[in-house]
Structure formats: C-alpha cells, structure tokens
Amino acid sequence: VEARRARVVEAMAAADEGKKRKLENAPNPDSAKTIRGLDLPTFDGKGLKIAIVSARWNSIVCGSLTQGCVDAMKACGVDAADIVVEHVAGSYEIPFAAQVLLETKRFDGVVCIGCLIKGETMHFEYISEAVTQGIMNLNLKYNTPVIYGILGCLNEEQAKARAGVEGAGHNSGIDWGYTVVESCLLKKKYLR
C-alpha cells in the first residue's frame, strides 16, 4: 500500500512539474547550490496589450533586456501587434513616459527597462531612488502592473551578465516579460 501511495504521489508531482517550467538564473558565482529562479505555470497572455518603456542610455544592455522581455511575452501568447515599445533618453525619464502610456488606458501593463551603472559620484543613488519611487507610485496610482526592470549595477560586466549580453549570465528581461503577463492576468482575475 505504501509503495502504491508513493507511486501515486510521485506521478502527481510529475504531472504538476509538467505544467510548470523553471526559469533559471545565472549560476551562483561562489558555486554554492542556489534556490534562485522562478517556477512558472503556463500563462495565457492572448489579448493582453503591454507597453515597454526602455532607456536608450546603456543601449546594448537595455536592447537585450527589451528583446528578452518581448520574447517572453510572445511565449505567453501575447501577440506582437499588442506589444508597444517606446524609448526614452535614460532611466530618469522612464516613470514619466510610463505615466503617459498609462494615461491612455490602452495597456494592461507596462514594463520599465533601464540600466544604471554606479560611477564615482552620488548621481547613481539619486537616479536610482527617484526611478524606483516613480515606478512604485505608478503601480499604486493607476492600479495597473508597472514592472520594475531597472538594473542597478556596480560595473558594466554586471550589467552585461544580467542582460545576457555576449552570452554572459541570464537575461533578466525574460523574467520581466513573464512577470508582466502574470501580473496582468492576476488583475483581470480579481478586478474587472
């Protein structure tokens, strides 16, 4: 009886795993076993209209993040015609541009993509804080998913690794694409 019960439990677990996919992050640099990564169910994003606001500053990184985000949304069934990508000069301009798009009421969600790399002055801290607060406030003011896709890195190598540039690391834009679809579906489920 115990052996049969174990087989049933194992079969149920395998069935659940078949409905999920694991989105792996880059390997942990100290080679320790990691628990990072998302267990993702299958999302049906058909019919969702999603905007991306991406900074042109650090364009190689932001371009890769944007493409990863678009690819993930398409993998969830979001039609390419329902994805709008707008560009702004830098990360500081992102909250305003996202607000403009939210004001149109045409989008179920917005993904904000930028990359801040620390320099020798306090500029990084000021911009990072302003952008973070701006994006958080948009979520609350518009009751719409506004995904925080702003990398805050200490150097260019970290930025490239988090954007999957030149085959390094994991493209975080993929995570943000899945996150915006999941968040939009949550809103549609509970708020009509």
Side-chain angles (χ1 to χ4, degrees):
V1 173
E2 286 300 317
R4 190 167 79 86
R5 186 177 309 176
R7 283 194 304 272
V8 169
V9 169
E10 188 176 299
M12 289 173 58
D16 285 344
E17 285 304 310
K19 293 178 186 175
K20 293 181 180 181
R21 51 188 184 265
K22 183 81 169 177
L23 194 58
E24 298 291 339
N25 279 326
N28 196 342
D30 62 9
S31 298
K33 190 168 174 73
T34 182
I35 60 169
R36 300 183 311 162
L38 295 173
D39 281 326
L40 295 171
T42 301
F43 299 124
D44 181 7
K46 201 173 298 165
L48 292 177
K49 296 185 181 347
I50 300 173
I52 297 173
V53 179
S54 181
R56 287 191 309 274
W57 194 263
N58 296 319
S59 63
I60 291 171
V61 169
C62 290
S64 179
L65 293 166
T66 299
Q67 188 59 56
C69 185
V70 168
D71 292 345
M73 289 189 288
K74 287 180 181 177
C76 292
V78 179
D79 192 284
D82 291 331
I83 301 170
V84 172
V85 179
E86 294 292 345
H87 291 90
V88 295
S91 293
Y92 189 80
E93 291 74 31
I94 289 173
F96 172 75
Q99 180 171 318
V100 168
L101 295 172
L102 289 163
E103 286 285 338
T104 70
K105 297 183 170 56
R106 290 179 39 209
F107 301 101
D108 297 298
V110 177
V111 182
C112 299
I113 296 178
C115 177
L116 301 170
I117 300 173
K118 184 156 178 50
E120 296 177 0
T121 68
M122 293 295 292
H123 182 74
F124 171 87
E125 284 82 2
Y126 298 143
I127 300 298
S128 181
E129 178 67 18
V131 173
T132 300
Q133 292 298 319
I135 293 171
M136 183 206 57
N137 288 331
L138 291 173
N139 274 283
L140 301 175
K141 179 178 179 182
Y142 290 93
N143 203 27
T144 298
V146 182
I147 305 307
Y148 183 84
I150 309 297
L151 293 181
C153 301
L154 298 177
N155 54 53
E156 289 183 19
E157 290 73 31
Q158 287 180 351
K160 288 178 183 178
R162 283 151 183 80
V165 173
E166 298 168 0
H170 167 76
N171 187 332
S172 295
I174 296 168
D175 303 335
W176 304 331
Y178 287 121
T179 300
V180 72
V181 171
E182 182 176 23
S183 299
C184 290
L185 293 174
L186 179 73
K187 179 180 177 182
K188 283 187 177 289
K189 181 177 177 180
Y190 291 103
L191 300 176
R192 307 230 182 249

